[in-house]
Amino acid sequence: MVMINEETQLDSALQLKKYVRDIGCPESADIQHCLENSAVIAKILAEKIRTDTFTGLRKLEFLLAELSEIPFFERLETVQVMLNTLYKQTNVDEGFSLTGKQNGVLACHNALCTSIFIRAGKKEWAEQGVRWIISYFPFDRNEPSNWQGKDLFQRFGGCVGNSPCYDGVVKSVKALSEYAEKYGELPGLRTKLQQGLDYFLKHRVIFHQNNDEYLYDDLITLFYPYPYRTNIIEALSVLKTEKLLDRPECQAALDYLKTKQRSDGFWQAEKIFMKSSWVPFDALKKPGMWITDEINWIFSAVSSR
């Protein structure tokens, strides 16, 4: 791959990601070379994992969520073991639960697991999470859910109440979008996806529906990749994939993101969640190669005005 020589300051996994986005699929040997020589991947795979606690399983989920940002991550044997472990420990027939029990299904974690499985090519596993989203997770205010598990309504403030948890909505819409792009239709998927996208637009991505206040601070905080929390970058990336960034409802969020660009042209990570369960891709408050690549990709879709 030409990029190996030209961009030696970039982690090889980021080189691979940029190549896939800009050019296409590299040769198999080049893919393997990039995966095996990435410092970021090596750090993630060196992390110790336990599966007998909620926080231990959440760490496994987070690490796989990070790895899933890298094309072909599923080709690594260790990753296959991690994927099988996550599925075995979280599979509760309908959706995914970090407690291993139906009562424990939470919208953000179900969506995270689902997106990981989509990206890893585990279609049947992913379908289980997608069907849960279509059937049970509301994408609008005052919309009921007939899910029987109590944590969805109670734990961490509840994913469902007068309004659905915005983190859960963004991550669930992202899962539906990526499933549809990779595997096509499921009954109810397109209608549900459209409802979720409409909900983003009603909020102009980052605002309260009826005023110009930001929904919450983390939503306008820059970080990449994404744990259970979502942010402006992840939400805009979904709208980019769905070719909606030219909608006027997106303009204020895009303008906000532009204001965060450093004078040297880069963007920087502003926060790391759950440091004991997370491997940072970029150092805090320094020029961020990964986060800048992600934001540049978002802006590459926007028509110049």
Side-chain angles (χ1 to χ4, degrees):
M1 262 186 297
V2 179
M3 60 180 187
I4 294 290
N5 301 319
E6 290 181 350
E7 303 189 78
T8 49
Q9 79 277 19
L10 296 182
D11 187 277
S12 62
L14 180 53
Q15 293 180 43
L16 175 62
K17 183 164 193 170
K18 288 169 75 70
Y19 190 96
V20 170
R21 272 185 176 163
D22 298 342
I23 300 170
C25 185
E27 295 290 327
S28 188
D30 288 329
I31 293 169
Q32 208 62 26
H33 177 86
C34 286
L35 295 175
E36 290 174 358
N37 287 276
S38 162
V40 163
I41 291 176
K43 280 182 193 167
I44 293 172
L45 297 184
E47 287 287 315
K48 290 187 168 51
I49 297 160
R50 55 185 292 181
T51 59
D52 58 337
T53 62
F54 177 91
T55 51
L57 269 179
R58 184 177 61 192
K59 179 176 181 178
L60 173 61
E61 173 198 58
F62 283 178
L63 296 176
L64 280 167
E66 292 194 274
L67 287 166
S68 77
E69 294 292 327
I70 299 161
F72 309 108
F73 76 108
E74 73 281 1
R75 293 195 180 188
L76 294 168
E77 284 181 29
T78 311
V79 170
Q80 284 297 324
V81 174
M82 292 167 74
L83 288 164
N84 281 312
T85 303
L86 183 66
Y87 180 75
K88 182 180 170 188
Q89 297 287 338
T90 61
N91 165 32
V92 290
D93 296 328
E94 289 189 284
F96 300 104
S97 164
L98 292 184
T99 66
K101 297 181 174 65
Q102 198 173 43
N103 261 338
V105 176
L106 297 170
C108 57
H109 292 297
N110 174 74
L112 269 172
C113 290
T114 302
S115 290
I116 289 164
F117 297 145
I118 291 166
R119 292 176 173 192
K122 307 288 191 187
K123 182 184 178 185
E124 288 183 10
W125 298 358
E127 187 177 314
Q128 179 176 320
V130 168
R131 288 188 186 280
W132 184 90
I133 295 167
I134 294 169
S135 300
Y136 299 111
F137 189 47
F139 280 175
D140 212 343
R141 290 177 62 82
N142 299 313
E143 189 181 310
S145 170
N146 61 354
W147 177 246
Q148 298 302 306
K150 65 176 172 36
D151 283 5
L152 188 72
F153 306 94
Q154 296 173 9
R155 194 166 188 188
F156 304 122
C159 312
V160 177
N162 293 334
S163 302
C165 163
Y166 201 68
D167 294 316
V169 172
V170 172
K171 291 180 183 299
S172 296
V173 172
K174 180 179 180 177
L176 296 182
S177 173
E178 293 193 1
Y179 185 94
E181 185 178 26
K182 189 164 188 171
Y183 296 122
E185 268 301 326
L186 274 178
L189 190 156
R190 184 54 56 184
T191 303
K192 189 77 173 180
L193 173 57
Q194 190 58 55
Q195 185 190 17
L197 294 168
D198 289 344
Y199 192 68
F200 283 16
L201 296 174
K202 278 189 218 169
H203 282 278
R204 289 174 295 138
V205 190
I206 54 173
F207 297 98
H208 282 281
Q209 207 164 312
N210 301 318
N211 60 48
D212 287 339
E213 290 180 14
Y214 300 121
L215 271 168
Y216 48 88
D217 287 344
D218 281 343
L219 190 59
I220 53 166
T221 301
L222 303 194
F223 51 88
Y224 172 85
Y226 320 102
Y228 68 95
R229 271 298 207 198
T230 193
N231 70 358
I232 183 173
I233 309 170
E234 186 172 33
L236 286 172
S237 74
V238 178
L239 290 162
K240 145 110 184 184
T241 301
E242 293 295 330
K243 301 182 171 54
L244 291 171
L245 285 184
D246 279 335
R247 289 282 294 265
E249 296 97 326
C250 298
Q251 191 57 48
L254 290 164
D255 290 345
Y256 178 86
L257 203 49
K258 280 179 190 161
T259 69
K260 304 289 269 188
Q261 189 172 21
R262 296 161 49 103
S263 58
D264 58 12
F266 289 95
W267 280 264
Q268 64 185 28
E270 297 174 331
K271 187 167 184 174
I272 299 168
F273 290 81
M274 310 278 182
K275 290 181 183 175
S276 62
S277 304
W278 198 256
V279 174
F281 279 28
D282 294 309
L284 282 179
K285 304 201 167 127
K286 292 184 177 174
M289 300 299 168
W290 287 89
I291 202 166
T292 297
D293 179 68
E294 196 67 12
I295 293 170
N296 280 335
W297 171 72
I298 288 168
F299 281 121
S300 70
V302 182
S303 305
S304 53
R305 288 179 168 81

